[in-house]
mmCIF file with all atom_site columns, all heavy atoms in Angstrom:
data_model
loop_
_atom_site.group_PDB
_atom_site.id
_atom_site.type_symbol
_atom_site.label_atom_id
_atom_site.label_alt_id
_atom_site.label_comp_id
_atom_site.label_asym_id
_atom_site.label_entity_id
_atom_site.label_seq_id
_atom_site.pdbx_PDB_ins_code
_atom_site.Cartn_x
_atom_site.Cartn_y
_atom_site.Cartn_z
_atom_site.occupancy
_atom_site.B_iso_or_equiv
_atom_site.pdbx_formal_charge
_atom_site.auth_seq_id
_atom_site.auth_comp_id
_atom_site.auth_asym_id
_atom_site.auth_atom_id
_atom_site.pdbx_PDB_model_num
ATOM 1  N N   . GLY A 1 212 ? -5.631  -4.001  -16.532 1.00 80.00 ? 212 GLY A N   1
ATOM 2  C CA  . GLY A 1 212 ? -6.111  -4.991  -17.503 1.00 80.00 ? 212 GLY A CA  1
ATOM 3  C C   . GLY A 1 212 ? -7.618  -5.057  -17.661 1.00 80.00 ? 212 GLY A C   1
ATOM 4  O O   . GLY A 1 212 ? -8.153  -5.704  -18.550 1.00 80.00 ? 212 GLY A O   1
ATOM 5  N N   . GLY A 1 213 ? -8.306  -4.367  -16.695 1.00 84.00 ? 213 GLY A N   1
ATOM 6  C CA  . GLY A 1 213 ? -9.772  -4.352  -16.765 1.00 84.00 ? 213 GLY A CA  1
ATOM 7  C C   . GLY A 1 213 ? -10.389 -5.586  -16.137 1.00 84.00 ? 213 GLY A C   1
ATOM 8  O O   . GLY A 1 213 ? -9.726  -6.604  -15.899 1.00 84.00 ? 213 GLY A O   1
ATOM 9  N N   . ILE A 1 214 ? -11.672 -5.513  -15.851 1.00 90.00 ? 214 ILE A N   1
ATOM 10 C CA  . ILE A 1 214 ? -12.414 -6.617  -15.246 1.00 90.00 ? 214 ILE A CA  1
ATOM 11 C C   . ILE A 1 214 ? -13.070 -7.418  -16.383 1.00 90.00 ? 214 ILE A C   1
ATOM 12 O O   . ILE A 1 214 ? -14.135 -7.031  -16.857 1.00 90.00 ? 214 ILE A O   1
ATOM 13 C CB  . ILE A 1 214 ? -13.448 -6.146  -14.227 1.00 90.00 ? 214 ILE A CB  1
ATOM 14 C CG1 . ILE A 1 214 ? -12.771 -5.318  -13.129 1.00 90.00 ? 214 ILE A CG1 1
ATOM 15 C CG2 . ILE A 1 214 ? -14.176 -7.345  -13.602 1.00 90.00 ? 214 ILE A CG2 1
ATOM 16 C CD1 . ILE A 1 214 ? -13.723 -4.802  -12.057 1.00 90.00 ? 214 ILE A CD1 1
ATOM 17 N N   . THR A 1 215 ? -12.443 -8.449  -16.794 1.00 92.00 ? 215 THR A N   1
ATOM 18 C CA  . THR A 1 215 ? -12.963 -9.312  -17.839 1.00 92.00 ? 215 THR A CA  1
ATOM 19 C C   . THR A 1 215 ? -14.083 -10.192 -17.280 1.00 92.00 ? 215 THR A C   1
ATOM 20 O O   . THR A 1 215 ? -14.232 -10.340 -16.071 1.00 92.00 ? 215 THR A O   1
ATOM 21 C CB  . THR A 1 215 ? -11.863 -10.210 -18.413 1.00 92.00 ? 215 THR A CB  1
ATOM 22 O OG1 . THR A 1 215 ? -11.446 -11.114 -17.384 1.00 92.00 ? 215 THR A OG1 1
ATOM 23 C CG2 . THR A 1 215 ? -10.696 -9.373  -18.920 1.00 92.00 ? 215 THR A CG2 1
ATOM 24 N N   . PRO A 1 216 ? -14.913 -10.790 -18.147 1.00 92.00 ? 216 PRO A N   1
ATOM 25 C CA  . PRO A 1 216 ? -15.927 -11.709 -17.632 1.00 92.00 ? 216 PRO A CA  1
ATOM 26 C C   . PRO A 1 216 ? -15.346 -12.843 -16.799 1.00 92.00 ? 216 PRO A C   1
ATOM 27 O O   . PRO A 1 216 ? -15.966 -13.247 -15.812 1.00 92.00 ? 216 PRO A O   1
ATOM 28 C CB  . PRO A 1 216 ? -16.578 -12.256 -18.933 1.00 92.00 ? 216 PRO A CB  1
ATOM 29 C CG  . PRO A 1 216 ? -16.371 -11.147 -19.923 1.00 92.00 ? 216 PRO A CG  1
ATOM 30 C CD  . PRO A 1 216 ? -15.020 -10.561 -19.594 1.00 92.00 ? 216 PRO A CD  1
ATOM 31 N N   . GLU A 1 217 ? -14.176 -13.335 -17.197 1.00 94.00 ? 217 GLU A N   1
ATOM 32 C CA  . GLU A 1 217 ? -13.537 -14.403 -16.400 1.00 94.00 ? 217 GLU A CA  1
ATOM 33 C C   . GLU A 1 217 ? -13.161 -13.914 -15.020 1.00 94.00 ? 217 GLU A C   1
ATOM 34 O O   . GLU A 1 217 ? -13.346 -14.641 -14.021 1.00 94.00 ? 217 GLU A O   1
ATOM 35 C CB  . GLU A 1 217 ? -12.297 -14.931 -17.152 1.00 94.00 ? 217 GLU A CB  1
ATOM 36 C CG  . GLU A 1 217 ? -12.587 -15.654 -18.468 1.00 94.00 ? 217 GLU A CG  1
ATOM 37 C CD  . GLU A 1 217 ? -12.926 -14.710 -19.591 1.00 94.00 ? 217 GLU A CD  1
ATOM 38 O OE1 . GLU A 1 217 ? -12.663 -13.480 -19.484 1.00 94.00 ? 217 GLU A OE1 1
ATOM 39 O OE2 . GLU A 1 217 ? -13.486 -15.170 -20.615 1.00 94.00 ? 217 GLU A OE2 1
ATOM 40 N N   . ILE A 1 218 ? -12.595 -12.723 -14.936 1.00 94.00 ? 218 ILE A N   1
ATOM 41 C CA  . ILE A 1 218 ? -12.231 -12.157 -13.635 1.00 94.00 ? 218 ILE A CA  1
ATOM 42 C C   . ILE A 1 218 ? -13.467 -11.900 -12.787 1.00 94.00 ? 218 ILE A C   1
ATOM 43 O O   . ILE A 1 218 ? -13.493 -12.188 -11.578 1.00 94.00 ? 218 ILE A O   1
ATOM 44 C CB  . ILE A 1 218 ? -11.408 -10.863 -13.823 1.00 94.00 ? 218 ILE A CB  1
ATOM 45 C CG1 . ILE A 1 218 ? -10.019 -11.160 -14.360 1.00 94.00 ? 218 ILE A CG1 1
ATOM 46 C CG2 . ILE A 1 218 ? -11.302 -10.093 -12.504 1.00 94.00 ? 218 ILE A CG2 1
ATOM 47 C CD1 . ILE A 1 218 ? -9.149  -9.966  -14.688 1.00 94.00 ? 218 ILE A CD1 1
ATOM 48 N N   . LYS A 1 219 ? -14.500 -11.396 -13.407 1.00 94.00 ? 219 LYS A N   1
ATOM 49 C CA  . LYS A 1 219 ? -15.737 -11.121 -12.677 1.00 94.00 ? 219 LYS A CA  1
ATOM 50 C C   . LYS A 1 219 ? -16.294 -12.408 -12.091 1.00 94.00 ? 219 LYS A C   1
ATOM 51 O O   . LYS A 1 219 ? -16.739 -12.440 -10.919 1.00 94.00 ? 219 LYS A O   1
ATOM 52 C CB  . LYS A 1 219 ? -16.746 -10.420 -13.575 1.00 94.00 ? 219 LYS A CB  1
ATOM 53 C CG  . LYS A 1 219 ? -17.999 -9.952  -12.865 1.00 94.00 ? 219 LYS A CG  1
ATOM 54 C CD  . LYS A 1 219 ? -18.883 -9.099  -13.753 1.00 94.00 ? 219 LYS A CD  1
ATOM 55 C CE  . LYS A 1 219 ? -18.240 -7.760  -14.066 1.00 94.00 ? 219 LYS A CE  1
ATOM 56 N NZ  . LYS A 1 219 ? -19.166 -6.836  -14.772 1.00 94.00 ? 219 LYS A NZ  1
ATOM 57 N N   . ASP A 1 220 ? -16.311 -13.459 -12.863 1.00 96.00 ? 220 ASP A N   1
ATOM 58 C CA  . ASP A 1 220 ? -16.786 -14.780 -12.376 1.00 96.00 ? 220 ASP A CA  1
ATOM 59 C C   . ASP A 1 220 ? -15.947 -15.237 -11.203 1.00 96.00 ? 220 ASP A C   1
ATOM 60 O O   . ASP A 1 220 ? -16.460 -15.749 -10.193 1.00 96.00 ? 220 ASP A O   1
ATOM 61 C CB  . ASP A 1 220 ? -16.749 -15.798 -13.469 1.00 96.00 ? 220 ASP A CB  1
ATOM 62 C CG  . ASP A 1 220 ? -17.846 -15.613 -14.510 1.00 96.00 ? 220 ASP A CG  1
ATOM 63 O OD1 . ASP A 1 220 ? -18.795 -14.860 -14.227 1.00 96.00 ? 220 ASP A OD1 1
ATOM 64 O OD2 . ASP A 1 220 ? -17.742 -16.222 -15.591 1.00 96.00 ? 220 ASP A OD2 1
ATOM 65 N N   . LYS A 1 221 ? -14.618 -15.055 -11.309 1.00 95.00 ? 221 LYS A N   1
ATOM 66 C CA  . LYS A 1 221 ? -13.718 -15.482 -10.225 1.00 95.00 ? 221 LYS A CA  1
ATOM 67 C C   . LYS A 1 221 ? -14.007 -14.692 -8.949  1.00 95.00 ? 221 LYS A C   1
ATOM 68 O O   . LYS A 1 221 ? -14.062 -15.289 -7.849  1.00 95.00 ? 221 LYS A O   1
ATOM 69 C CB  . LYS A 1 221 ? -12.264 -15.293 -10.652 1.00 95.00 ? 221 LYS A CB  1
ATOM 70 C CG  . LYS A 1 221 ? -11.256 -15.831 -9.642  1.00 95.00 ? 221 LYS A CG  1
ATOM 71 C CD  . LYS A 1 221 ? -9.844  -15.786 -10.172 1.00 95.00 ? 221 LYS A CD  1
ATOM 72 C CE  . LYS A 1 221 ? -8.846  -16.378 -9.197  1.00 95.00 ? 221 LYS A CE  1
ATOM 73 N NZ  . LYS A 1 221 ? -7.477  -16.410 -9.732  1.00 95.00 ? 221 LYS A NZ  1
ATOM 74 N N   . ILE A 1 222 ? -14.193 -13.385 -9.091  1.00 96.00 ? 222 ILE A N   1
ATOM 75 C CA  . ILE A 1 222 ? -14.466 -12.553 -7.922  1.00 96.00 ? 222 ILE A CA  1
ATOM 76 C C   . ILE A 1 222 ? -15.821 -12.939 -7.302  1.00 96.00 ? 222 ILE A C   1
ATOM 77 O O   . ILE A 1 222 ? -15.943 -13.052 -6.052  1.00 96.00 ? 222 ILE A O   1
ATOM 78 C CB  . ILE A 1 222 ? -14.475 -11.062 -8.285  1.00 96.00 ? 222 ILE A CB  1
ATOM 79 C CG1 . ILE A 1 222 ? -13.041 -10.647 -8.670  1.00 96.00 ? 222 ILE A CG1 1
ATOM 80 C CG2 . ILE A 1 222 ? -14.986 -10.199 -7.109  1.00 96.00 ? 222 ILE A CG2 1
ATOM 81 C CD1 . ILE A 1 222 ? -12.958 -9.225  -9.206  1.00 96.00 ? 222 ILE A CD1 1
ATOM 82 N N   . HIS A 1 223 ? -16.810 -13.153 -8.113  1.00 95.00 ? 223 HIS A N   1
ATOM 83 C CA  . HIS A 1 223 ? -18.137 -13.552 -7.603  1.00 95.00 ? 223 HIS A CA  1
ATOM 84 C C   . HIS A 1 223 ? -18.062 -14.893 -6.872  1.00 95.00 ? 223 HIS A C   1
ATOM 85 O O   . HIS A 1 223 ? -18.719 -15.074 -5.838  1.00 95.00 ? 223 HIS A O   1
ATOM 86 C CB  . HIS A 1 223 ? -19.126 -13.642 -8.778  1.00 95.00 ? 223 HIS A CB  1
ATOM 87 C CG  . HIS A 1 223 ? -19.578 -12.312 -9.280  1.00 95.00 ? 223 HIS A CG  1
ATOM 88 N ND1 . HIS A 1 223 ? -20.267 -12.148 -10.439 1.00 95.00 ? 223 HIS A ND1 1
ATOM 89 C CD2 . HIS A 1 223 ? -19.428 -11.068 -8.770  1.00 95.00 ? 223 HIS A CD2 1
ATOM 90 C CE1 . HIS A 1 223 ? -20.518 -10.875 -10.652 1.00 95.00 ? 223 HIS A CE1 1
ATOM 91 N NE2 . HIS A 1 223 ? -20.010 -10.199 -9.640  1.00 95.00 ? 223 HIS A NE2 1
ATOM 92 N N   . ASN A 1 224 ? -17.247 -15.789 -7.372  1.00 95.00 ? 224 ASN A N   1
ATOM 93 C CA  . ASN A 1 224 ? -17.097 -17.076 -6.681  1.00 95.00 ? 224 ASN A CA  1
ATOM 94 C C   . ASN A 1 224 ? -16.420 -16.913 -5.330  1.00 95.00 ? 224 ASN A C   1
ATOM 95 O O   . ASN A 1 224 ? -16.768 -17.544 -4.360  1.00 95.00 ? 224 ASN A O   1
ATOM 96 C CB  . ASN A 1 224 ? -16.274 -18.038 -7.540  1.00 95.00 ? 224 ASN A CB  1
ATOM 97 C CG  . ASN A 1 224 ? -17.060 -18.555 -8.751  1.00 95.00 ? 224 ASN A CG  1
ATOM 98 O OD1 . ASN A 1 224 ? -18.274 -18.556 -8.728  1.00 95.00 ? 224 ASN A OD1 1
ATOM 99 N ND2 . ASN A 1 224 ? -16.353 -18.964 -9.799  1.00 95.00 ? 224 ASN A ND2 1
#
Side-chain angles (χ1 to χ4, degrees):
I214 303 181
T215 65
E217 293 77 16
I218 288 175
K219 187 171 290 188
D220 286 345
K221 185 173 184 177
I222 294 174
H223 285 168
N224 288 335

